[in-house]
Amino acid sequence: MGFNVEIKQWRAVAAWTWNAGDDVCGICRMPFDGCPPDGKYPGDDSPVVWGVCGHAFHLQCITKWLSAQTEQRCPFCRRPWEFKAAATAPVQEEPVTIQPQPHALQLPR
Amino acid sequence: MPETSIAVSSAAWLAYLTSVEKQLRAASESSTLQQVKDWPPLEGIDVLCAVGLGELVAAHFLSKVEFLLRDVHINCFWAYFENGLANLPTSDLEATLLQALQELCSVVEAHCRMIATLTGQLLAGSAGSAQPLASVVVTLQNSYLRTVGALFLTTAKCSLSDLLLHYYAGKLAEFGKGLKRSRGGARSKNDENVDGAGSDDELATAASFEADSDDEAELMDCMEEGASLIEVFGEAWGQRLQYIANALRILGVEAVSEEAFAAVVCTHVQYHLTRRTQRIFDRHVLPAARAYVSAVPLEFLRLVLPSGEAGEQSLAQWRLRLDYYVYETVGQLRIGEMFDIVVDYPESLPAVGDIRDCLRNTNLHQQFITRFRAATQARLLHAGAATSDIIQQYVSTIKTLREVDPTGVLLEAVGEPIKEYLRGRRDTIRCIVTMLTDDTAGGEMVAGESLFDELGRNANDADAGDSDGEGEGDASAWEAALRWEPDPVDADPARSARSRRMHDIISMLVAIYGSKELFIAEYRLMLADKLLAKTDYDCDREIRTLELLKLRFGDTNLHNCEVMIKDMADSKRIHGNIRELPTNSLISPMSRGRRREPSIEPLTPIILSGLFWPPFQQDAISIPAQVQIMLDTYAAKYHSLKAPRKLVWKPHLGTVKLAITIGDRTTDFTVSPLQAVLIMAFQTVSSWRGSELAKEVGLPPSTLRRRIVFWVNQGVLSESRAPSGEYLYARMEQMAETGPGAGGAGAADTVMDDELTTSVATAEDQLQQEMAVYESFVMGMLTNFERLPLERIHNMLKMFVVDPPYDKTAEQLASFLSKLVAEEKLLMEAGSYKKR
């Protein structure tokens, strides 16, 4: 005799988020989880990057900004712009320990 | 005047009188009639004329003849018909009519000849005298004939027109019958395939008009060998008819006769067209009908109308008149059945062609619009018709009227009420979108009929249509100007011709709501539903539909949907990556400290870009720890792959496949996560109180009851009531045999709970959510005022709620308030609301 429930398949639904605190890119004013004006698809095609100053932008937006400026500065705080190294978002307390390839600019696979 | 001349005159008068009496008596005896060719001159005329009494003579003669006609001859004529005519067969009627007319005509002819002689005498006698006499005398013959006609009609014992109607109808029927027989004979000669069945009568009524494929050709033949027709009936048949028609003309009642045969011919044509046209949509009627008209009724008319040039002329007129009559009658018949024709489209294409030709040749447009609209109103636009049927009929209407009237004026007039009605139905958009995207509907619809096919077709020729429409250069503009045609007279001048020319079905359907945004929004909702309900990642079909829609509505409008579908593909890819990721290589924050990594085997999640999906129903449930660990592990792996991105689970969405073993039986279920959570609670605990279970899974108790009923119905759980009134749920020890899930021992059943198939918030839910903002306002108002009617609540909201402005209608507010009443937050008493 028995009563058993076995899960054969669980089609769960999740939404991803860049986890970027402030919801809107400071340059294009579009949500981080959306795409910048030039981007067609969100997510992999519209990555979000952080500068060492802690401000986040869409990669496309900040690249455009930087290429238009003579000096490489964060458009918010005017500090010199440098991409923050690890892929960890500032909000995240615990860094992921296993990082396949540390990269100056973390692009999602 | 001298005495002598008076004496002479009276002598002459007496002589005149006697000779008149004598001649008239002779004229009345039909036996002598034939011999007398020329009437001898009357006596004493010259004398009377000389004394200026010519006019008197003429008047006297006329009145004399009139008396004679009235008292004798016309009475004789009517005596033939004393017994009434309804019971006379046509042949008898003809014989009687023929004899009566012959007698009357011979008398009239005799009189005419006498008048001719008299006229000659009078003219000769008064050669030297004043002019007026001549005019009287010349018109003598005409006034005589007029008198005959008038007498004939006024003294009638029964209606002459009835008599003639009866006669002509009989003759025409005979004619048709004879034609049929001759044709039948010809056919039996050609092939031995004469239908022996069917009585002669039936054949006769059907006349030559019963449909065969070679019908038209044969009718044409008949027309060509018109002469041979006469042979069939015998020459006398036609001659008798001709004689009677002629006699009537002589008697001055041509008008009555013409009226009669016109009526007969029209009835005949109408009868046959009705037989041929009604409920037969798969055949062109017009050509055959026109051929028939020239073969039968026109030939008949040829006999009835006077021969010679005048006859030819009126025959030509009749040909035109009959042609028009055919168009008109067929048009009216078809218009009466327009609704059915549309239903039968495209099988009814020939009938549609008929209508087009009829409308082109007549002015039935107004009637068409009125009657078709009325039919649509009565048969389609009522509560009993399913929305999908209405849309289907609307599509058929568009297709049909596109054939009938390329200018689109009719469509505009007829389609407007349908559009108006559809606009009032809630599920219209959903229906259209379903029909539009449903590529599986092969079964019930004919290939090439479904809207999905229409979508594909239009996508193909959309480019071509656009390119020639937008003429940029001077040359093309000039060409467009040359091609310009004025709008039809009955077009609505307020609309531009361009709007009318928009005949493409999809855009017409979209135009029901005026914009494509609503449409796309609904499509997005449906797509979300469809994608979420999938258990795999395969969405080729959706991609196909989406590509077609993109061609039509443009990429930007459907960008959200594109992202949604791309999410599916991405989910599949990421899912593959995550599975390959070695479990022990990951130390996620959630699972740290555990010995064993939980298996994520059963998980096949969809990872979606939240901003691009429609808002989901907010339904929080507590996931059992066992599953939560799986989800957390999965999320951690995702994060390690896609850092810094994270996953946010929406635990109430998705589907779960379960295998439930009770006793020795295992049954498969496909259910919503909520159902899964509910049943999993029973894995460790065999029975639950309703309220505790509700707390465990994080649902309000009322909702719990609604949801758990599913498992009770499936025979997996049992429901009972504790003495306190609370519900108790316990797992079954044995799968109930009666449960729907018990179809065959151990059979894998896939059951989906209806209620939860919609995971996306509907437009209605969204409205409710919007209204929820006002709940606090309403509550506050009712705290201050104790009770308020709907009107005042509405007005106060309008006045005080400014950010965002209150833009709902009183009806929307009423439905919101009644929802609050249902939730037992408010009380409705005597038309006003109050707090509980």
Side-chain angles (χ1 to χ4, degrees):
Chain A
M1 125 86 234
F3 181 91
N4 185 44
V5 180
E6 185 203 342
I7 302 170
K8 294 178 92 177
Q9 190 199 2
W10 191 294
R11 161 51 61 98
V13 178
W16 57 261
T17 165
W18 282 103
N19 205 14
D22 195 25
D23 280 331
V24 202
C25 165
I27 297 177
C28 66
R29 311 303 294 169
M30 300 298 271
F32 284 122
D33 292 352
C35 32
D38 305 337
K40 193 153 166 36
Y41 299 108
D44 292 349
D45 294 351
S46 308
V48 174
V49 290
W50 280 263
V52 282
C53 55
H55 292 123
F57 305 99
H58 285 123
L59 174 63
Q60 284 102 316
C61 299
I62 191 67
T63 318
K64 212 173 183 180
W65 167 263
L66 293 177
S67 62
Q69 305 291 313
T70 46
E71 286 172 276
Q72 308 285 291
R73 287 180 190 280
C74 168
F76 274 12
C77 56
R78 312 304 296 169
R79 274 195 275 170
W81 177 266
E82 257 175 72
F83 287 107
K84 194 166 184 175
T88 47
V91 207
Q92 185 134 11
E93 299 93 353
E94 277 187 77
V96 174
T97 43
I98 294 157
Q99 198 51 251
Q101 290 173 318
H103 197 274
L105 163 65
Q106 170 65 33
L107 280 174
R109 254 182 271 172
Chain B
M1 191 176 283
E3 290 282 318
T4 48
S5 66
I6 290 177
V8 171
S9 310
S10 44
W13 181 247
L14 284 177
Y16 157 74
L17 281 183
T18 27
S19 66
V20 162
E21 285 292 337
K22 199 174 112 208
Q23 286 197 7
L24 285 178
R25 206 172 310 121
S28 302
E29 285 159 17
S30 49
S31 53
T32 56
L33 220 72
Q34 304 305 324
Q35 290 96 30
V36 189
K37 282 286 165 243
D38 278 312
W39 293 92
L42 292 167
E43 288 159 30
I45 298 292
D46 42 353
V47 180
L48 289 172
C49 279
V51 293
L53 288 176
E55 230 170 303
L56 183 70
V57 169
H60 172 261
F61 186 82
L62 263 189
S63 67
K64 190 81 192 160
V65 171
E66 189 186 323
F67 273 119
L68 205 59
L69 272 175
R70 180 162 58 205
D71 295 345
V72 185
H73 300 297
I74 289 184
N75 270 343
C76 283
F77 177 86
W78 289 119
Y80 281 105
F81 302 102
E82 224 137 47
N83 303 327
L85 37 110
N87 40 12
L88 276 177
T90 314
S91 51
D92 289 2
L93 177 66
E94 182 174 49
T96 322
L97 193 62
L98 207 57
Q99 197 177 350
L101 280 174
Q102 260 169 2
E103 281 180 18
L104 192 59
C105 276
S106 55
V107 171
V108 170
E109 266 170 38
H111 288 173
C112 281
R113 276 201 293 271
M114 282 164 70
I115 287 174
T117 321
L118 178 65
T119 313
Q121 278 180 295
L122 284 175
L123 283 179
S126 64
S129 68
Q131 205 59 19
L133 180 61
S135 67
V136 172
V137 169
V138 166
T139 58
L140 196 55
Q141 183 116 24
N142 287 340
S143 36
Y144 168 72
L145 284 176
R146 261 205 306 281
T147 316
V148 173
L151 279 175
F152 198 41
L153 289 179
T154 49
T155 58
K157 298 276 193 320
C158 56
S159 156
L160 181 65
S161 53
D162 282 355
L163 182 76
L164 291 178
L165 270 180
H166 194 66
Y167 171 66
Y168 282 134
K171 270 310 233 197
L172 187 54
E174 252 175 45
F175 191 83
K177 213 186 288 187
L179 191 68
K180 170 78 182 175
R181 218 175 287 133
S182 78
R183 221 190 52 162
R187 208 198 308 175
S188 71
K189 267 179 256 158
N190 292 345
D191 49 22
E192 250 53 65
N193 204 7
V194 192
D195 39 349
S199 70
D200 209 24
D201 240 352
E202 240 178 57
L203 287 177
T205 44
S208 54
F209 215 177
E210 274 318 278
D212 297 26
S213 55
D214 50 352
D215 203 18
E216 292 161 30
E218 282 192 46
L219 276 169
M220 298 304 271
D221 288 349
C222 291
M223 217 170 64
E224 279 164 23
E225 33 184 271
S228 75
L229 274 178
I230 300 301
E231 285 164 26
V232 173
F233 298 115
E235 209 148 321
W237 188 92
Q239 276 175 350
R240 283 199 296 275
L241 184 61
Q242 266 174 324
Y243 180 82
I244 287 175
N246 256 325
L248 290 168
R249 208 167 296 120
I250 289 169
L251 293 178
V253 286
E254 196 177 1
V256 180
S257 153
E258 210 167 303
E259 218 168 77
F261 67 67
V264 165
V265 163
C266 287
T267 321
H268 181 85
V269 170
Q270 173 119 36
Y271 171 76
H272 282 287
L273 289 182
T274 310
R275 279 192 65 91
R276 183 64 177 267
T277 312
Q278 231 151 26
R279 304 225 51 85
I280 302 172
F281 303 145
D282 54 352
R283 190 175 296 142
H284 268 298
V285 172
L286 274 177
R290 293 178 61 198
Y292 175 79
V293 161
S294 32
V296 179
L298 209 64
E299 286 306 309
F300 177 77
L301 285 171
R302 193 189 292 281
L303 293 176
V304 176
L305 290 169
S307 47
E309 201 175 322
E312 285 302 318
Q313 258 180 20
S314 58
L315 198 65
Q317 274 178 8
W318 264 102
R319 190 188 298 277
L320 294 176
R321 201 182 302 172
L322 279 179
D323 236 17
Y324 182 81
Y325 189 72
V326 166
Y327 279 126
E328 200 177 25
T329 313
V330 171
Q332 275 173 346
L333 286 168
R334 288 281 193 230
I335 287 171
E337 296 178 317
M338 193 59 203
F339 191 84
D340 298 300
I341 293 178
V342 170
V343 170
D344 281 3
Y345 187 90
E347 277 78 43
S348 57
L349 260 177
V352 174
D354 277 344
I355 290 216
R356 184 189 48 226
D357 293 344
C358 288
L359 288 182
R360 203 172 282 161
N361 288 293
T362 56
N363 50 2
L364 291 172
H365 294 77
Q366 200 50 50
Q367 196 186 11
F368 180 93
I369 291 169
T370 322
R371 288 178 65 185
F372 189 32
R373 267 172 94 144
T376 310
Q377 204 82 41
R379 293 179 59 180
L380 189 67
L381 305 182
H382 52 72
T387 309
S388 56
D389 291 345
I390 299 180
I391 294 171
Q392 193 57 48
Q393 177 76 2
Y394 183 46
V395 170
S396 297
T397 307
I398 295 173
K399 285 183 182 166
T400 314
L401 294 191
R402 197 161 49 175
E403 301 280 338
V404 172
D405 168 39
T407 59
V409 176
L410 289 181
L411 180 58
E412 188 184 60
V414 174
E416 198 53 47
I418 307 183
K419 256 161 79 176
E420 191 71 35
Y421 185 83
L422 281 176
R423 223 171 280 151
R425 282 225 175 176
R426 275 170 159 192
D427 54 343
T428 301
I429 295 192
R430 182 150 275 251
C431 260
I432 295 176
V433 175
T434 314
M435 289 165 88
L436 209 55
T437 53
D438 186 12
D439 51 352
T440 55
E444 56 181 303
M445 276 191 257
V446 191
E449 268 296 272
S450 73
L451 283 179
F452 181 75
D453 295 329
E454 189 69 30
L455 189 64
R457 186 169 336 131
N458 280 316
N460 293 337
D461 51 34
D463 305 331
D466 278 355
S467 62
D468 69 8
E470 308 293 321
E472 290 291 313
D474 281 353
S476 58
W478 173 245
E479 257 176 45
L482 284 180
R483 261 184 287 127
W484 181 84
E485 275 187 29
D487 283 348
V489 278
D490 39 0
D492 179 0
R495 308 270 191 98
S496 73
R498 183 173 267 278
S499 75
R500 227 172 274 126
R501 227 144 269 153
M502 186 185 62
H503 274 337
D504 149 44
I505 287 166
I506 309 286
S507 17
M508 299 268 311
L509 286 177
V510 172
I512 290 178
Y513 280 89
S515 82
K516 55 189 176 188
E517 276 72 25
L518 274 167
F519 227 80
I520 292 167
E522 187 66 36
Y523 171 68
R524 187 163 151 234
L525 288 181
M526 281 187 54
L527 182 66
D529 261 350
K530 254 190 202 168
L531 293 179
L532 289 183
K534 279 186 185 302
T535 52
D536 52 11
Y537 294 108
D538 174 38
C539 46
D540 290 348
R541 206 171 249 171
E542 283 76 13
I543 292 176
R544 202 162 96 86
T545 314
L546 178 65
E547 287 304 320
L548 290 175
L549 285 172
K550 265 160 69 180
L551 283 177
R552 165 157 295 278
F553 296 119
D555 285 6
T556 40
N557 289 310
L558 288 160
H559 182 226
N560 282 345
C561 302
E562 214 181 330
V563 172
M564 281 158 68
I565 286 189
K566 188 169 178 289
D567 279 347
M568 294 297 281
D570 286 352
S571 299
K572 186 180 181 182
R573 197 159 42 82
I574 295 170
H575 183 62
N577 289 344
I578 287 178
R579 274 168 170 265
E580 280 167 21
L581 205 64
T583 311
N584 53 11
S585 73
L586 173 86
I587 307 161
S588 89
M590 313 296 177
S591 56
R592 170 173 295 184
R594 281 176 192 267
R595 294 274 102 158
R596 207 169 56 85
E597 282 294 333
S599 158
I600 55 164
E601 197 57 34
L603 268 185
T604 54
I606 302 176
I607 298 162
L608 42 87
S609 314
L611 289 174
F612 296 82
W613 288 63
F616 296 108
Q617 270 171 359
Q618 296 305 318
D619 227 354
I621 51 170
S622 325
I623 297 287
Q626 171 197 355
V627 181
Q628 191 63 51
I629 290 171
M630 283 201 300
L631 296 181
D632 288 344
T633 315
Y634 198 95
K637 286 188 171 192
Y638 179 86
H639 184 70
S640 79
L641 274 177
K642 292 282 182 185
R645 280 200 269 167
K646 279 183 21 182
L647 287 187
V648 178
W649 293 102
K650 302 196 178 295
H652 58 289
L653 297 179
T655 49
V656 181
K657 278 187 186 162
L658 293 176
I660 296 179
T661 313
I662 300 177
D664 50 357
R665 279 179 57 182
T666 304
T667 315
D668 283 359
F669 290 96
T670 302
V671 294
S672 69
L674 175 59
Q675 312 284 16
V677 167
L678 280 176
I679 198 67
M680 283 170 77
F682 287 86
Q683 229 174 344
T684 45
V685 183
S686 65
S687 73
W688 286 90
R689 283 167 171 279
S691 54
E692 285 166 6
L693 184 58
K695 203 182 277 175
E696 172 80 10
V697 299
L699 276 181
S702 57
T703 323
L704 173 89
R705 169 124 210 276
R706 232 174 39 231
R707 297 292 151 87
I708 206 165
V709 161
F710 171 76
W711 289 117
V712 176
N713 288 341
Q714 293 299 323
V716 177
L717 294 182
S718 68
E719 184 188 66
S720 57
R721 276 188 106 141
S724 61
E726 200 173 3
Y727 288 101
L728 290 174
Y729 298 98
R731 62 192 192 200
M732 303 287 270
E733 299 304 320
Q734 201 69 41
M735 185 78 95
E737 283 300 326
T738 49
D749 269 348
T750 305
V751 185
M752 193 74 185
D753 184 10
D754 297 344
E755 208 178 333
L756 283 181
T757 44
T758 305
S759 41
V760 180
T762 60
E764 224 170 308
D765 289 337
Q766 284 175 33
L767 179 73
Q768 290 293 1
Q769 272 174 22
E770 281 175 38
M771 289 300 287
V773 181
Y774 305 113
E775 186 179 330
S776 56
F777 284 96
V778 173
M779 285 309 189
M781 262 182 244
L782 291 174
T783 314
N784 289 335
F785 286 94
E786 193 179 349
R787 54 170 64 230
L788 284 173
L790 173 71
E791 191 92 337
R792 281 199 64 191
I793 299 180
H794 183 61
N795 286 338
M796 282 168 76
L797 283 175
K798 257 202 289 199
M799 209 180 305
F800 296 121
V801 184
V802 282
D803 190 35
Y806 171 78
D807 54 355
K808 306 289 181 273
T809 63
E811 286 75 34
Q812 283 170 328
L813 179 66
S815 81
F816 173 66
L817 289 180
S818 63
K819 186 176 148 264
L820 288 184
V821 171
E823 285 170 3
E824 309 195 332
K825 288 177 180 160
L826 292 183
L827 214 63
M828 170 86 171
E829 262 180 11
S832 50
Y833 295 90
K834 102 184 216 194
K835 247 177 131 170
R836 255 189 119 83

